[in-house]
């Protein structure tokens, strides 16, 4: 597509429920990133996918968080047993990831509110 | 120590002022550097890349100091529309994990 598409744009859930956030990157972009941004804070790196390589999961805050990327395209971030501190905007970004060209294009984000 | 650190500000400057932000990075192997701009409740968007020799785009100048491991952004003749959060970004290799600073808030007032 023309840009990075994320869904849902807003999600309100109850504590303890599982949520899935979806990211559809720009066609042809081999790299895909997930970041989390809490209110008034910077971008916290969560996970990075590059082609068929093993993802860099070093930013996932706990084992309640997982992500997958199917067919090198769409990615899903899953948060199990949500907690109130999970409330944030989850941003997905994609990149061509060629030498000298890892400029990120972000989606509009998924705003998660855990009650 | 955080991988990428910025002064969060806020910076409050009058129209027409010159303002500069710095961003330090801890990974000496970092090879790619960028400045992004984020408007309130919007996603970050690329402002400019930072090249080793420094680069300029209109009123904006970006510089890299590898010896001291920091990048800078200079905005001349500030406009009201420059009010935003400015995020710096550093990567270890040409592609790979990209870490952001916490952002610097700039408010330009009349």
């Amino acid at each position: 597509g023309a840009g990075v598409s994320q869904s849902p744009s807003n999600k309100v859930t109850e504590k303890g429920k599982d949520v899935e956030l979806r990211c559809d990157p720009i066609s042809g972009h081999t790299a895909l990133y997930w970041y989390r941004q809490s209110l008034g804070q910077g971008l916290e790196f969560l996970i990075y996918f590059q082609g068929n390589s093993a993802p860099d999961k070093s930013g996932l805050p706990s084992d309640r968080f997982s992500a997958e990327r199917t067919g090198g395209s769409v990615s899903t971030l899953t948060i199990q047993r949500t907690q109130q501190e999970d409330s944030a905007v989850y941003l997905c970004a994609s990149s061509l990831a060629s030498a000298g060209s890892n400029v990120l294009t972000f989606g509009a984000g998924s705003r998660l509110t855990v009650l | 120590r955080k991988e990428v650190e910025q002064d969060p500000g806020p910076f409050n400057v009058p129209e027409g002022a010159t303002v500069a932000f710095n961003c330090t990075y801890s990974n000496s192997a970092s090879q790619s550097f960028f400045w992004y701009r984020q408007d309130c409740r919007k996603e970050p968007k690329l402002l400019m890349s930072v090249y080793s020799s420094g680069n300029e785009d209109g009123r904006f100048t970006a510089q890299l100091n590898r010896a001291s491991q920091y990048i800078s952004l200079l905005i001349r003749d500030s406009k009201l529309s420059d009010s935003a959060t400015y995020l710096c970004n550093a990567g270890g290799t040409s592609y790979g994990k990209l870490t952001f600073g916490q952002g610097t808030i700039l408010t330009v007032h009349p």
Side-chain angles (χ1 to χ4, degrees):
Chain A
V4 178
S5 178
Q6 291 189 246
S7 62
S9 55
N10 278 287
K11 176 71 176 179
V12 180
T13 190
E14 293 179 348
K15 177 181 174 180
K17 300 286 189 182
D18 297 352
V19 298
E20 284 191 353
L21 308 176
R22 175 189 167 105
C23 173
D24 198 344
I26 292 174
S27 178
H29 279 195
T30 58
L32 187 148
Y33 298 76
W34 283 99
Y35 292 89
R36 177 168 72 174
Q37 188 170 35
S38 301
L39 188 63
Q41 301 298 309
L43 299 180
E44 177 188 5
F45 168 80
L46 296 178
I47 188 169
Y48 158 68
F49 296 90
Q50 170 58 45
N52 295 320
S53 302
D56 179 345
K57 305 179 181 181
S58 60
L60 294 178
S62 78
D63 59 9
R64 296 186 296 104
F65 288 73
S66 63
E68 62 177 19
R69 189 179 184 192
T70 53
S73 181
V74 172
S75 176
T76 302
L77 176 69
T78 301
I79 309 172
Q80 295 178 308
R81 305 181 303 281
T82 52
Q83 303 294 311
Q84 289 183 331
E85 60 263 29
D86 298 335
S87 296
V89 176
Y90 290 82
L91 289 159
C92 174
S94 69
S95 167
L96 277 172
S98 58
S101 180
N102 58 346
V103 172
L104 298 182
T105 301
F106 284 85
S110 291
R111 182 175 300 276
L112 174 66
T113 303
V114 182
L115 302 177
Chain B
R1 181 184 174 188
K2 292 184 179 179
E3 293 183 49
V4 180
E5 292 198 72
Q6 295 181 248
D7 180 348
F11 286 72
N12 294 298
V13 302
E15 277 186 287
T18 296
V19 61
F21 313 134
N22 280 347
C23 167
T24 59
Y25 60 94
S26 61
N27 184 355
S28 59
S30 295
Q31 297 183 17
S32 59
F33 307 90
F34 305 91
W35 284 101
Y36 286 76
R37 171 194 168 126
Q38 185 174 28
D39 293 303
C40 189
R41 300 181 76 85
K42 297 287 189 181
E43 73 272 22
K45 294 185 178 178
L46 179 70
L47 178 65
M48 58 195 304
S49 304
V50 185
Y51 302 125
S52 298
S53 55
N55 48 298
E56 187 174 311
D57 182 2
R59 298 182 293 107
F60 298 84
T61 300
Q63 293 200 316
L64 168 64
N65 185 316
R66 284 195 180 276
S68 299
Q69 293 186 202
Y70 74 86
I71 61 173
S72 63
L73 177 67
L74 179 78
I75 305 175
R76 292 181 298 278
D77 188 23
S78 299
K79 311 293 185 187
L80 296 176
S81 57
D82 294 334
S83 297
T85 297
Y86 291 83
L87 296 155
C88 64
N89 173 254
T93 57
S94 294
Y95 44 87
K97 177 181 175 181
L98 296 173
T99 306
F100 284 85
Q102 65 267 46
T104 297
I105 299 171
L106 170 66
T107 301
V108 182
H109 57 81

